[in-house]
């Protein structure tokens, strides 16, 4: 890795974002119909390597089901409005109508309502009954409090997702979650993150996680670089953590931990680049919040938008670009990279001569800032 | 080549676009009148190293003739409106009048009409009768279906042009075009592309092509970087493929395959840089769509704008900057680089001390992002 | 240090600004409540490593007291309106109301009034009586004339602050301030700057200064890069001067000179990066001029805005983002990085696994231009 | 010099513009009153190292006199309106009033009037009678035709200035100017340029020139990068040519050829950087066209704006920023770098510890793109 002298007393690596890189064609091309996008994690098979992010603007029980039927995975945020209110539709509509100046404060109030364990059960049951893979997410802070309700309700995949998650959280005030023991004792495959570096991801892999989310507040609803000065440019983060996957595969004698890019993929080309850097699948927020069916009604936000003390993002107007099916599978409406996300991945793979997602991680890329 | 660590698990080359580089003057200057811009490919001689791109917004039979008379080469898109309709003028006018929101959909409908082989013959005959070099282009997907109509009609130069074309297309559904055999059996010199890398171009050269188009959707009507994440920065792509030309010249014992830059040359300075990086000639779209005579009536689009499933570009408003003669030969109207394209190349060569295009490929350049 | 050839006759180092870098998370996370932000210089202890800049738009006697009570240090500009007028409130209000075209000229007139030594005493006394640490600043040009009034009034910390301050000022017209003798004879710890380079800072450390301000007109009210061509990118300047601190610590047998970043930290993320590069504390201007209590009433300016001959900055509209307490300690109002500055530092440290400011100087950073 | 692979077939140097670099302060500071800006070329002494560019928007006989009296040198364009018309004031006023769309065409007409040798004599006589240094410029194309009129009228300094000038111009149509013989036979010191590279400048030095202009169409009225693809980033060009000055000094056994930066210095900080890179003096266009006395009346243009075939620039609206005296010597009006240009240079030198222009060429710079 190239280290740069920032000054006589500090060095740092050069890191790259999606905008800094591009995939280049090679000597062979393929027929798009020969391309398979399928992805399997643990016992669960998906036609599309795409996960709808656990954010209230993206995933409701209904859209989780719809994404599942289209071939991907929808993950419900189990700390969102759906587990705090019997029927959050009016609250979702209210959020979409808020004046910008009022939005942070009012969202704080709406999200101050308590999480009700029985609603966790009810929401997950609704998804299960539709016959698709069931997945829910908690933040690391609330996993200890609510995981039992989740497991009792039954999930196929359990996600622990925070701005950053480490295998070693140190606190003098509260007994932190022992991820390794927790995952060992749980009977459900766990996906955990975000992680931004090789070391952080390697430690998460050693906890027994089935997958690691790569990212640190890089999504369109985040402003962690501005507020916290922290940033993990996605191309570098994915490539680093793909190396951790390879090294852990050797160290563990064959355990393949999935690398899932999470955040910063606003256009279909970014999904292509995420896989090119080593991702096995992608977790998508804003691009799916643009669906006609999305609960956000043209807006997008994450939990950081209503943090009681330290908001590090906001409610973002994303508009509507098509139906969920058009966004995932096309046909593309126009050429802005917001529809037919999976068709774009398929075509990019065909054009550069690859037929499966794992192979495509080896495609040649160039550095060429946009 | 300098390889950069994008992350621990991925490396990539640094690649450069035209905006990243500039030509620098040297110690000698020349009289512009001593500069020759002439270019010869196979038996065909041109006063200007410029090819009008086979796009409906640029080349009609009339403009193909006009470009030929001015000293360049006009290539007709044999899958465009001219081979689908007896008289496409009304359709061209309609496209220029479309509401932006409707344009993708309506263009899809217009381009859904079948290609009529007899019209291929008729259009090419019209150009031939005017006494200029006759050239037509097909996409690789449709070459097998229509090439015979083209050859029967008679062309001097045949182009196979797609977003990307490889010497080795693999498909389990259809027997792909065997480029090498096709070119060998054809009695007409073939120009093929686009190619974006040394290896892809070298393989195309080995098929027997007379020229290779360099580019991958870099034109102003393309958005492949946004939609597919694929990008071949033009300065690097041309320089790479010029090296393939040199290496193939040695390997073949003297066959010189022409390198033709295709896309991304919106201003006359870009044409200068394309030659400086190693191009023998340039294929121009948007800059010629700005001609008063252009069929696009101030708009510009390629076939990717009306792709049924995956549009990767759109109809772009380019305006009108002068007559075809003013655009190619001047006098320049103002200093925005859209008129007197060939005068600019002539002056740049004179100013840096060169008198022919081939020599000018050796001019000194600097890297200095704009 | 990497030297770059600018041309055959000139070399220069690559230098980095805050926008060029970002902090990256590591494998460990901490509980924000375990993080200590405390800072001690000489005998003075602060809960927050933050100094309000001696600028009339930021610090009045009242805001110096308020900042002190919140845990930081407010430094009064002893050459500002408060030591020129009995009651400058009307003048401050007038400045906020000036037409942009008139502002430079009218500020020159207002600041032409003489500095009155008895007002120096009165203003400092007011701060002392409030029970907080007392600090005042003079420019190097005026230190000889007014320092006695300052010392007689009594200060805990004395600042000598100019656009640039060197340990060796050479003049054939006036006997320059001998910093080393001055600091030696003074009975008060002195903070001096700005310095932009390792060598300049090392020489200042050798004068006996307790702290060195890092910066050269990088603040939002400065335009020294435009007007003078001089610029010391902050990330590099801090890292260089942190190395000078380390080297001087060794050379002096243990004297630790504090490195205080001064300028260019417009958002909370920049404060995080300043510490990450090696700063012990930060001096903040614009971000505090946005306080409801700020004397600038939504405007911000420094002494360079009313320089009689050579203005190198102007009165800048910064607006109002919250109360002083909200700006320093939160809760954050929204995610633009202008409120809860210290909460952001605390959270960034926790997220990356650090519990005290000194340790956090070792956090990993990446170079990734914004 | 670092060479970069643009692609496998092409290499190029990294080159830097003024915006890419900045001067950094050092450990010593000086009193601005101790700084001397004086400059001497051949027998001519100037208080200020500044030359007003031979452009009709900048230099009339009156402003040549005014610049001379303020301490600099004004150079009259001997191919401009002043040598084509008895009284060009009405034409200058007309140019300032032209509609943008009409300006190129109308300026072509105005500049089509013949150059009248007797007016060359009259204009230069007017400047000489005012008692300031007399200088006039011709383009290399017209030097042979008009130089005798210039020498007969009497000039102190003679400039041959074109977009690019080489020591070796090759033409099969016309006998080119033999610069070496011409300069040898002329009894007047000659300044010649622009040159953009070490080699071009070294050859010009060997012709016997007293000074070399560094630049290639970098001024605000030029668009050579857009139209011709040619660009010589100024920081690198000056540093290269300063090295040529040093090498020629050795080769010639002591002949010091002055390096004069010409173009691209829109703000006072750029003048500082030009000297820091090695310039002995600067030639200024746009910044002086902003004078109340400037003949351009708030507009600025060069001869390339009315080139009959190939305009490579235009008439640019620059506005008015103050009197000629305010622009050169201040007091500065505001902090945008357009007034008090020489005060800024003086202050930058003092702040970084230098007292004369030649020494200041050694000041430390950093690379830090703006």
């Amino acid at each position: 890795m190239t280290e740069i002298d920032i000054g006589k007393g500090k060095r740092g690596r050069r890191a790259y974002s999606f905008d800094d890189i591009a995939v280049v064609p090679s000597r062979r091309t393929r027929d798009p119909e020969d391309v398979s996008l399928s992805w399997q994690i643990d016992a669960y098979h998906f036609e599309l390597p795409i996960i709808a992010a656990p954010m209230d603007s993206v995933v409701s029980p209904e859209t989780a089901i719809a994404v599942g039927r289209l071939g991907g995975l929808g993950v419900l945020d189990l700390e969102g409005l759906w587990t705090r209110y019997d029927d959050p539709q009016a609250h979702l509509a209210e959020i979409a109508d808020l004046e910008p100046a009022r939005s942070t404060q009012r969202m704080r109030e709406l999200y101050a309502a308590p999480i009700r364990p029985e609603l966790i059960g009810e929401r997950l049951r609704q998804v299960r009954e539709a016959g698709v893979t069931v997945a829910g997410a908690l933040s690391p802070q609330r996993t200890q409090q609510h995981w039992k309700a989740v497991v009792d309700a039954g999930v196929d995949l359990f996600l622990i997702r925070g701005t950053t998650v480490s295998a070693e959280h140190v606190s003098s005030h509260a007994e932190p979650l022992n991820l390794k023991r927790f995952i060992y004792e749980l009977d459900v495959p766990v996906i955990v993150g975000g992680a931004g570096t090789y070391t952080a991801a390697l430690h998460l892999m050693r906890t027994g996680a089935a997958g690691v989310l790569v990212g640190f507040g890089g999504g369109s609803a985040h402003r962690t670089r501005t507020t916290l000065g922290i940033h993990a440019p996605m191309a570098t983060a994915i490539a680093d953590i793909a190396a951790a996957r390879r090294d852990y595969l050797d160290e563990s004698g064959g355990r393949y931990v999935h690398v899932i890019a999470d955040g910063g993929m606003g256009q279909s080309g970014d999904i292509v680049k995420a896989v090119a850097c080593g991702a096995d699948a992608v977790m998508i927020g804003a691009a799916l919040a643009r669906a006609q069916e999305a609960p956000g009604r043209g807006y997008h936000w994450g939990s950081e938008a209503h943090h009681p003390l330290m908001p590090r993002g906001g409610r973002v107007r994303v508009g509507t670009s098509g139906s969920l099916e058009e966004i995932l599978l096309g046909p593309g409406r126009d050429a802005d990279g917001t529809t037919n996300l999976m068709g774009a991945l398929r075509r990019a793979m065909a054009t550069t001569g690859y037929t499966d997602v794992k192979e495509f991680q080896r495609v040649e890329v160039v550095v060429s800032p946009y």
Side-chain angles (χ1 to χ4, degrees), chain A:
Chain A
M1 306 310 304
T2 318
E3 286 256 311
I4 291 170
D5 281 315
I6 292 166
K8 293 184 209 290
K10 191 85 189 178
R11 296 169 69 84
R13 277 174 67 196
R14 180 70 172 87
Y16 298 91
S17 67
F18 290 135
D19 279 350
D20 290 326
I21 68 164
V23 166
V24 286
S26 67
R27 70 183 177 87
R28 182 181 290 170
T29 52
R30 296 275 189 178
D31 188 327
E33 291 180 46
D34 287 347
V35 171
S36 161
L37 298 181
S38 73
W39 173 55
Q40 172 133 0
I41 181 167
D42 203 272
Y44 304 96
H45 178 88
F46 303 94
E47 284 305 306
L48 306 174
I50 197 164
I51 304 176
M55 302 168 84
D56 275 353
S57 50
V58 178
V59 180
S60 59
E62 285 77 15
T63 58
I65 293 165
V67 169
R69 289 184 173 154
L70 289 165
L73 172 67
V75 181
L76 204 63
D77 179 6
L78 300 176
E79 302 174 13
L81 296 176
W82 292 93
T83 57
R84 297 178 195 260
Y85 295 98
D86 282 315
D87 182 354
Q89 291 294 2
H91 304 305
L92 287 163
E94 182 188 351
I95 289 174
D97 282 339
L98 284 174
E99 291 292 306
R102 283 263 306 144
S103 67
T104 301
Q105 187 47 41
R106 179 58 182 147
M107 287 167 75
R108 279 179 181 159
E109 293 162 16
L110 288 171
Y111 281 89
I115 296 168
R116 290 160 48 194
E118 78 278 13
L119 287 178
I120 293 180
E122 195 173 306
R123 302 312 180 197
L124 293 173
R125 207 151 30 240
Q126 181 181 350
V127 177
R128 175 168 303 282
E129 282 163 6
V132 302
T133 307
V134 181
L138 289 173
S139 68
Q141 292 79 10
R142 290 204 172 98
T143 294
Q144 279 174 304
Q145 193 184 344
H146 296 297
W147 72 270
K148 224 170 153 330
V150 179
V151 171
D152 288 350
V155 284
D156 299 321
L157 290 161
F158 182 66
L159 280 82
I160 302 176
R161 181 178 186 252
T163 306
T164 193
V165 170
S166 73
E168 184 186 353
H169 182 71
V170 184
S171 172
S172 63
H173 297 78
E175 178 65 31
L177 179 68
N178 184 324
L179 256 185
K180 191 167 183 173
R181 193 187 319 160
F182 176 79
I183 290 174
Y184 181 78
E185 292 176 357
L186 206 68
D187 211 25
V188 171
V190 175
I191 294 171
V192 65
T197 60
Y198 174 92
T199 313
L202 189 62
H203 280 78
L204 289 178
M205 290 171 180
R206 289 174 179 158
T207 64
V212 171
L213 300 171
V214 181
F216 181 84
S220 62
H222 267 263
R223 294 196 60 189
T224 46
R225 184 163 187 172
T226 302
T227 54
L228 298 190
I230 300 181
H231 184 55
M234 282 298 282
T236 294
I238 296 169
D240 276 3
I241 293 176
R245 177 183 61 204
R246 178 199 63 201
D247 293 351
Y248 179 69
L249 188 66
D250 181 65
E251 164 188 323
S252 66
R255 223 173 67 78
Y256 188 90
V257 181
H258 290 259
V259 171
I260 300 160
D262 177 9
M265 290 162 292
Q267 297 169 311
S268 51
D270 298 324
I271 295 175
V272 173
K273 295 175 190 176
V275 177
C277 287
D280 297 292
V282 296
M283 177 172 277
I284 300 295
L288 297 180
R290 290 193 193 96
Q292 282 150 2
E293 301 93 328
R297 293 162 166 78
Y299 286 89
H300 182 49
W301 65 91
S303 62
E304 66 290 341
H306 46 78
H307 190 282
L309 298 175
M310 185 73 216
R312 296 180 299 280
R315 189 196 55 163
V316 177
R317 170 99 189 121
V318 293
T320 297
S321 62
S323 71
L324 205 48
E325 181 164 1
E326 286 175 306
I327 290 175
L328 286 176
L329 298 174
R333 285 206 173 184
D334 47 36
D336 61 2
T338 65
T339 49
N340 201 0
L341 304 181
M342 293 294 102
L345 176 58
R346 178 183 303 276
R347 183 162 292 270
M349 290 169 62
T351 289
T352 54
Y354 292 89
T355 53
D356 77 48
V357 170
K358 182 66 200 167
E359 270 178 26
F360 187 63
Q361 294 172 354
R362 300 200 320 253
V363 72
E364 193 183 338
V365 301
V366 290
V367 172
S368 177
Y370 201 24

